[in-house]
Amino acid sequence: MSKTRIETKCVQGGYTPGNGEPRQIPIIQSTTFKYATSEDMGKLFDLEADGYFYTRLQNPTNDCVAKKICELEGGTAAMLTSSGQAASFYSVFNIAGCGDHVVASATIYGGTYNLFAVTMKRMGIDFTFVNPDCTEEELNAAFKPNTKAVFGETIANPALVVLDIEKFAKAAHAHGVPLIVDNTFATPINCRPFEWGADIVTHSTTKYMDGHGAAVGGCIVDSGKFDWMAHADKFPGLCTPDDSYHGITYAERFGKEGAYITKATAQLMRDFGSIQSPQNAFILNLGLESLHVRMARHCENGLAVAKYLESNDKISWVNYPGLESNKYYELSQKYLPNGTCGVVSFGIKGGRKAAESFMKNLKIAAIETHVADARTCCLHPASATHRQMNDEELAAAGVPADLVRLSCGLENAEDLIADIEQALENV
């Protein structure tokens, strides 16, 4: 599939049935797998043969879907996880441990920020959060001798900041560490971070990849380009023998192309077990088959709604990187020329009360914590996810009291605009 275009990869990537085999990826709903001899199974435990012995580590259904996402991103190896949060955790913890340091964009998804700043900090990993708009000098100043990775999002959720991938990749590589990019909002349809210097990509497949609010999941993809052995002193987990796996040195045995994902599977998935269920992987694949068609419509609707909001005198501000007036428009044209995403953030004149009134009057857009769905959904963080904060605390967190996040689905754009218009009329 390497020479086919991305639309064909969405439909047919990851799985090619043989003569008389199922046309759709089979759901291998089994916890374990049978072998004729202990020697056959032993080769799997020694990582000397390919195969499956327990779904907590790997499953054939999952591997087919991971392979498809790997092809879409242009990587060399990939693995599915139980959620996007698990993917973010594994992606960093696979190469950073107690006493290490990571540089991350300050505008990343709030759940990921908490994972890094609170939970992983308790594990002894220190994070420095930098403004994604910082200068190269400011970015380089954030690195320490024990820095092991840089983390950012192609399009930040919900800040909609577009990451300057080349700038962050240049800094990461100058300090001998990989750049990890969460590509959830853009998807490989609109941006392939490896082409701009990123080394590892993560996804919350729960969002656009599934696209129908049906299955929680995550994915990690390795570009296969980062030379771990060239920086062996920084990455002992990959470049020195793993005593828990018969003394294997992953970077030597599996090379640049396979070391990172093999370690994450053989070690982290073995110990933490955040596997995606085969049923969820099957559902995810159904979503992937139409991803290239859906993303175009999400972006079309997002831009149409953003333009309407920008012209409405009841709206105080609009944030959508596809608007020419947006501060990230030039970066979006560079990295996402075919569209950004379907998510629009905006403020309603009148503050918190006006936003709450607007939400109550929506007919088509549903109030949900979800985002990036076929159905339009909407959230007012000040009265939901951030309701414990007062207006001053909300402003300091970059989530003002009037902020509404609208995730444009696949409905008719004129119907979405009409719904917004009638809701605003009733504010």
Side-chain angles (χ1 to χ4, degrees):
M1 297 293 292
S2 60
K3 294 182 180 180
T4 58
R5 292 171 176 80
I6 200 163
E7 296 86 353
T8 304
K9 294 183 195 298
C10 281
V11 179
Q12 299 207 20
Y15 172 69
T16 303
N19 191 38
E21 293 182 345
R23 186 64 191 89
Q24 182 56 276
I25 292 176
I27 304 173
I28 309 300
Q29 194 66 48
S30 179
T31 61
T32 191
F33 302 83
K34 176 183 178 294
Y35 286 89
T37 69
S38 294
E39 288 78 14
D40 289 338
M41 183 172 283
K43 292 178 181 178
L44 300 177
F45 277 92
D46 288 342
L47 302 180
E48 293 178 353
D50 292 329
Y52 305 92
F53 53 86
Y54 200 57
T55 285
R56 175 159 55 83
L57 278 86
Q58 285 179 286
N59 177 281
T61 306
N62 292 22
D63 281 0
C64 287
V65 181
K67 184 179 179 183
K68 174 178 283 191
I69 297 173
C70 188
E71 291 177 5
L72 291 173
E73 286 287 6
T76 59
M79 66 185 292
L80 297 187
T81 61
S82 60
S83 67
Q85 280 290 84
S88 295
F89 172 62
Y90 279 15
S91 70
V92 174
F93 197 64
N94 200 35
I95 51 176
C98 184
D100 290 333
H101 173 256
V102 175
V103 176
S105 168
T107 58
I108 56 176
Y109 166 60
T112 308
Y113 184 93
N114 288 338
L115 169 68
F116 292 168
V118 179
T119 302
M120 294 186 75
K121 183 177 181 179
R122 290 172 58 197
M123 301 170 73
I125 304 174
D126 183 33
F127 287 81
T128 296
F129 296 94
V130 298
N131 186 327
D133 300 332
C134 65
T135 64
E136 289 188 16
E137 292 75 18
E138 290 169 333
L139 179 54
N140 281 295
F143 287 80
K144 301 179 180 180
N146 60 338
T147 300
K148 298 299 176 72
V150 179
F151 189 99
E153 292 177 350
T154 310
I155 304 174
N157 173 19
L160 302 180
V161 170
V162 177
L163 188 73
D164 190 341
I165 301 173
E166 284 192 319
K167 179 179 74 175
F168 275 74
K170 179 182 177 182
H173 297 158
H175 293 272
V177 301
L179 171 62
I180 304 171
V181 173
D182 181 334
N183 199 32
T184 296
F185 266 20
T187 81
I189 302 304
N190 288 340
C191 183
R192 304 215 308 173
F194 294 154
E195 296 175 357
W196 301 100
D199 302 288
I200 297 154
V201 159
T202 67
H203 286 276
S204 170
T205 62
T206 315
K207 309 304 190 298
Y208 286 122
M209 283 189 165
D210 166 27
H212 299 84
V216 173
C219 186
I220 308 172
V221 187
D222 184 11
S223 68
K225 296 178 181 178
F226 191 84
D227 191 345
W228 305 105
M229 290 302 291
H231 309 282
D233 58 323
K234 280 184 172 288
F235 305 103
L238 286 163
C239 302
T240 59
D242 180 1
D243 293 336
S244 73
Y245 245 109
H246 316 290
I248 283 175
T249 300
Y250 297 101
E252 290 180 351
R253 175 74 71 85
F254 302 102
K256 292 188 296 184
E257 296 78 13
Y260 179 88
I261 292 296
T262 301
K263 178 180 180 293
T265 301
Q267 192 183 84
L268 299 189
M269 194 63 81
R270 175 198 65 193
D271 294 343
F272 291 100
S274 300
I275 193 76
Q276 188 169 147
S277 77
Q279 180 69 54
N280 278 17
F282 177 85
I283 294 170
L284 167 59
N285 186 63
L286 295 179
L288 289 170
E289 290 178 353
S290 63
L291 181 63
H292 58 296
V293 180
R294 291 185 289 105
M295 284 308 296
R297 183 57 172 265
H298 282 297
C299 294
E300 177 186 330
N301 283 355
L303 182 59
V305 166
K307 286 182 176 179
Y308 164 77
L309 290 168
E310 195 172 41
S311 66
N312 192 298
D313 60 8
K314 290 190 176 183
I315 301 300
S316 55
W317 57 270
V318 182
N319 183 16
Y320 185 72
L323 288 174
E324 292 186 20
S325 59
N326 189 271
K327 67 181 293 186
Y328 296 105
Y329 180 74
E330 293 302 323
L331 280 178
S332 73
Q333 291 301 294
K334 175 180 178 178
Y335 294 116
L336 305 115
N338 297 320
T340 56
C341 64
V343 181
V344 184
S345 292
F346 56 95
I348 300 176
K349 292 179 181 178
R352 182 192 292 261
K353 288 186 178 180
E356 290 174 346
S357 176
F358 170 79
M359 298 288 288
K360 290 177 182 177
N361 286 289
L362 289 169
K363 306 298 183 185
I364 294 176
I367 299 174
E368 302 176 15
T369 56
H370 192 43
V371 70
D373 191 288
R375 296 156 291 251
T376 294
C377 50
C378 199
L379 184 72
H380 176 227
S383 59
T385 55
H386 294 64
R387 66 180 297 116
Q388 74 279 8
M389 297 181 179
N390 59 39
D391 287 5
E392 291 72 24
E393 290 170 332
L394 287 165
V399 186
D402 64 344
L403 184 150
V404 173
R405 183 187 72 183
L406 183 72
S407 175
C408 298
L410 303 179
E411 303 91 348
N412 183 281
E414 292 183 7
D415 288 340
L416 296 181
I417 291 170
D419 188 32
I420 294 168
E421 188 169 38
Q422 66 83 24
L424 286 172
E425 287 174 354
N426 287 291
V427 170

